[in-house]
Amino acid sequence: MFKSIMEWVDARLPISDLIKSQATEYPTPKNLNYWWNFGSLALFVLIIQLATGIFLVMHYKPDAALAFDSVEHIMRDVNWGWLLRYLHANGATFFFVVVYIHILRGMYYGSYRSPREILWWIGIIIFFLLMGTAFMGYVLPWGQMSYWGAAVITNLMSAVPLVGEDLVVWVWGGFAVGDPTLNRFFSLHYLLPFVVFGAVFVHLWALHAVHSNNPDGIDIDEHKDSLPFHPYFTVKDLYGVGVFLIIYCGFVFFAPNYFAEPDNYIEANPMQTPAHIVPEWYFLPFYAILRSIDFLGSFSKLAGVLAMVGAIAILFVLPWLDRSPARSFRYRPLSRQLFWLFIIDCFILGWVGYNPADATVFGGMPIVFVGRAATLVYFGYFFLLWLITAFDIEKPKPTPTSI
Amino acid sequence: MHIEQEESRRDFLILATSAVGLVGVGGAAWPFIRSMSPSADVLAQATTEVDLSAIQEGQMITVPWQGKPVFVLHRTAEQIAQAKNVTMSELRDPQDDKDRVRKPEWLVVLAICTHLGCVPQPIGTGEYGGFLCPCHGTHYDTSGRIRKGPAPKNLEAPPHEFKDDRTLIIGKVLA
Ligand code: HEM
Ligand code: FES
């Protein structure tokens, strides 16, 4: 019965072919490790965000006078509303956990190298879209952190020479963050995840054109060294989903506000800034980079913004900075050490970003000095990776010819 | 020869059509872009009237103007002197106090830090007797001028005038 229905459909729309060639029989390197789970996990979290988001919208009101109360209404009155909101808010956090690991996986195993540059680029574009989506979503509950986070970040645009001030007024739709701003952020917060969804398909299209990289970073003989995606990797990905759900639900049910700021349970007040504004944890390293450029006088603001955007945009040229004959850092001792230094540095930047700008550490040293040093190390990673590979300073170990 | 001519004629037509098409798309995009700029009702909230009679010397209040907070400070003689006795070369954004106020005893400034837009804390919190911005530690003096910290410019003095001795109007009075 099912078979004959499928035959009828396939003669008109070849679904089975597509599923076979692009999913179940997609040749997958047999040595993929667990770091390769995070791509499918990212898609899984995107679907969670879409589903919870669409149902939240049924109760949420994008109006500066009503937004805060409508979120409290979701929390207290709507059936299971608290669950939808906690799933959504923690979903954003875990989206970034998953995506950061996914990106770092690519950086460690050289997945950005030829022929995967376009695949890598689309990934970075998705990351930018994700940051925009999360930023605008965080404004929606219209608490104090929502409001002042939006004020500080939109003000960054005023650093653009000549048109900056007009640009910010245009983005606000007023002379300060206000009701028009909330409305447009809501519109875009609904739209962008679907753009991300589309971009994910282009990402997969590029992936399926060049096929997956692997922990050894070598080109493989697909007849010998690959397995069909189903059932080998569907099972492995599902196992990853299980582990993910345990941790994610742990936060949703037992510490739902662990990543939240108490100030965001105070309604937005345009007349008063909270004493200490912090962005969401996933923006902290970039926020630290922004603030550590404060020594260029009136040029500081623009330079800070450029450094912050540059910190991510530099990933676009990574495929050309890295010139090593080996892709995977498994066979590149120096690159590997730089990589771990880079990771530690990201945590230090995050810690600097979390602290007030005028904090002092280690008995009186302004924390901004730590921020400047860590910013230097951050960009230093990319410079040194180029240096040691372009001038053959790193001698890679021989890579295997098959897996 | 003939064919080449045909081709360049075709190239020209394609180019010209695309150019016209692009201008058309650009023109059609304009209403969409402009729809995001402040709307008429937002622009209509152009002025705010403030009753000054209740503000004692040394006190300040925060009033909304076009959705933005404005500090209205009744300065003491000491605060006025502090604002006046400054060497211009010490300032990051040099401006004389008399160019920033209409009447020496009333300081009217936008309470929006020129760094990234936080609201500074009230008078007396900063190092120069003025305002401290909590976000990234900018200090403004009793004239609202930047003295220390990451902000590039002085607190902006919005257009304002005194209707009579006890009424301040913030914004541009059109009529
Ligand atoms: C890329 C996927 C998404 C991300 C990263 C994301 C992120 C966020 C974040 C961080 C918040 C603030 C949560 C809080 O603290 O309360 C939020 C709120 C919200 N989001 Fe999303 N979101 C995504 C997708 C969506 C979608 C697809 C919709 C609707 C179709 C949506 C609708 C909403 C609504 C209505 C709120 C306000 C209610 C609330 O604060 O919980 N989101 N989002
Ligand atoms: S916003 Fe005031 S110091 Fe940054």
Side-chain angles (χ1 to χ4, degrees):
Chain A
M1 176 67 185
F2 178 73
K3 210 173 154 220
S4 66
I5 294 178
M6 272 328 282
E7 268 167 20
W8 184 88
V9 173
D10 279 331
R12 289 152 182 83
L13 181 74
I15 294 179
S16 301
D17 265 3
L18 187 79
I19 292 177
K20 255 195 204 147
S21 67
Q22 298 308 318
T24 53
E25 283 171 18
Y26 171 70
T28 315
K30 64 184 183 190
N31 65 339
L32 294 191
N33 56 28
Y34 278 113
W35 299 113
W36 262 260
N37 276 56
F38 288 85
S40 69
L41 273 183
L43 181 59
F44 180 68
V45 186
L46 177 60
I47 291 166
I48 292 182
Q49 291 304 89
L50 288 166
T52 52
I54 287 169
F55 282 84
L56 281 170
V57 170
M58 297 179 190
H59 305 278
Y60 173 79
K61 297 191 175 67
D63 179 317
L66 306 173
F68 185 83
D69 287 344
S70 78
V71 172
E72 284 311 301
H73 160 74
I74 290 172
M75 294 299 289
R76 293 156 196 239
D77 304 335
V78 174
N79 298 317
W80 300 100
W82 59 272
L83 180 62
L84 292 177
R85 172 155 185 259
Y86 282 151
L87 283 172
H88 197 77
N90 287 286
T93 269
F94 277 90
F95 211 148
F96 279 90
V97 172
V98 168
V99 164
Y100 278 137
I101 295 175
H102 188 62
I103 294 174
L104 289 167
R105 184 282 317 258
M107 286 171 68
Y108 188 87
Y109 294 109
S111 302
Y112 50 83
R113 301 286 299 276
S114 170
R116 297 188 179 82
E117 300 94 327
I118 293 188
L119 173 61
W120 177 249
W121 281 350
I122 297 163
I124 302 165
I125 292 169
I126 292 174
F127 181 49
F128 270 117
L129 289 170
L130 188 63
M131 297 211 292
T133 307
F135 162 66
M136 287 190 274
Y138 192 60
V139 176
L140 302 185
W142 209 240
Q144 274 288 66
M145 272 310 162
S146 299
Y147 187 91
W148 291 101
V152 168
I153 300 301
T154 49
N155 257 302
L156 292 179
M157 272 174 275
S158 68
V160 176
L162 301 178
V163 295
E165 303 288 338
D166 296 324
L167 189 65
V168 178
V169 169
W170 179 72
V171 168
W172 288 335
F175 301 100
V177 174
D179 187 58
T181 326
L182 175 59
N183 256 276
R184 62 194 55 187
F185 278 14
F186 177 61
S187 168
L188 294 174
H189 185 69
Y190 208 131
L191 169 70
L192 287 186
F194 291 90
V195 177
V196 168
F197 202 73
V200 166
F201 273 88
V202 183
H203 194 64
L204 289 177
W205 181 15
L207 173 70
H208 287 214
V210 295
H211 290 182
S212 306
N213 186 28
N214 58 74
D216 283 329
I218 56 172
D219 295 323
I220 59 167
D221 175 352
E222 291 200 334
H223 292 290
K224 234 173 69 217
D225 287 334
S226 73
L227 293 167
F229 192 81
H230 182 71
Y232 297 99
F233 290 93
T234 38
V235 162
K236 192 169 176 178
D237 279 350
L238 272 175
Y239 175 72
V241 166
V243 174
F244 169 83
L245 278 175
I246 290 172
I247 301 170
Y248 171 59
C249 290
F251 276 96
V252 167
F253 291 105
F254 297 105
N257 284 311
Y258 184 81
F259 296 101
E261 280 294 323
D263 267 324
N264 221 27
Y265 283 101
I266 302 171
E267 189 168 3
N269 177 0
M271 299 292 132
Q272 199 193 3
T273 309
H276 178 197
I277 298 187
V278 269
E280 294 281 85
W281 69 267
Y282 36 81
F283 293 133
L284 289 175
F286 306 108
Y287 192 57
I289 291 176
L290 167 79
R291 292 195 310 191
S292 57
I293 317 279
D294 65 345
F295 46 85
L296 297 174
S298 55
F299 191 61
S300 292
K301 188 157 139 185
L302 180 60
V305 174
L306 290 177
M308 183 176 71
V309 178
I312 301 167
I314 197 169
L315 294 175
F316 279 114
V317 293
L318 185 56
W320 292 273
L321 294 177
D322 183 350
R323 289 158 181 276
S324 173
R327 282 197 195 101
S328 171
F329 285 16
R330 266 194 182 168
Y331 304 101
R332 298 166 54 178
L334 264 181
S335 302
R336 196 160 62 220
Q337 284 175 16
L338 285 180
F339 178 84
W340 289 112
L341 194 69
F342 179 76
I343 301 248
I344 295 169
D345 189 60
C346 288
F347 278 99
I348 293 175
L349 279 170
W351 168 71
V352 171
Y354 183 73
N355 275 285
D358 48 8
T360 52
V361 287
F362 311 129
M365 182 172 69
I367 199 166
V368 65
F369 291 166
V370 183
R372 286 181 203 162
T375 300
L376 194 73
V377 172
Y378 183 96
F379 287 102
Y381 171 78
F382 298 93
F383 173 71
L384 290 176
L385 196 69
W386 168 77
L387 193 77
I388 62 169
T389 54
F391 295 99
D392 283 329
I393 296 170
E394 175 180 60
K395 304 278 177 240
K397 288 189 269 178
T399 49
T401 48
S402 73
I403 51 183
Chain B
M1 189 62 213
H2 180 71
I3 290 174
E4 250 173 45
Q5 220 173 1
E6 274 294 306
E7 291 238 314
S8 70
R9 187 181 139 88
R10 174 167 294 180
D11 288 347
F12 169 77
L13 285 174
I14 289 179
L15 223 82
T17 320
S18 318
V20 171
L22 246 136
V23 171
V25 170
W30 184 244
F32 292 84
I33 295 169
R34 278 297 285 176
S35 74
M36 288 176 69
S37 299
S39 55
D41 62 321
V42 172
L43 292 173
Q45 305 169 343
T47 60
T48 298
E49 254 191 45
V50 187
D51 177 8
L52 297 175
S53 57
I55 311 172
Q56 301 296 314
E57 213 177 271
Q59 279 189 338
M60 63 165 262
I61 58 165
T62 311
V63 293
W65 168 64
Q66 294 186 337
K68 295 179 282 198
V70 177
F71 285 159
V72 180
L73 168 68
H74 193 167
R75 293 196 292 190
T76 62
E78 191 197 340
Q79 286 166 337
I80 298 173
Q82 261 180 323
K84 289 201 160 140
N85 301 333
V86 173
T87 352
M88 280 302 122
S89 58
E90 271 177 35
L91 298 177
R92 181 174 303 168
D93 180 9
Q95 220 181 2
D96 213 321
D97 183 57
K98 69 176 188 305
D99 299 330
R100 295 179 49 78
V101 295
R102 285 280 174 117
K103 292 182 178 180
E105 60 274 30
W106 292 104
L107 177 73
V108 181
V109 284
L110 280 189
I112 295 181
C113 181
T114 57
H115 181 226
L116 293 173
C118 292
V119 178
Q121 287 167 356
I123 188 77
T125 48
E127 272 178 28
Y128 296 81
F131 315 91
L132 166 70
C133 180
C135 290
H136 316 98
T138 292
H139 296 261
Y140 296 95
D141 65 14
T142 54
S143 186
R145 287 171 302 203
I146 157 80
R147 300 301 287 272
K148 194 176 156 192
K153 285 187 284 183
N154 301 333
L155 291 180
E156 192 185 329
H160 63 278
E161 57 187 64
F162 294 88
K163 192 160 122 196
D164 48 48
D165 270 354
R166 39 181 300 175
T167 318
L168 165 73
I169 299 178
I170 308 172
K172 282 205 182 74
V173 185
L174 296 174

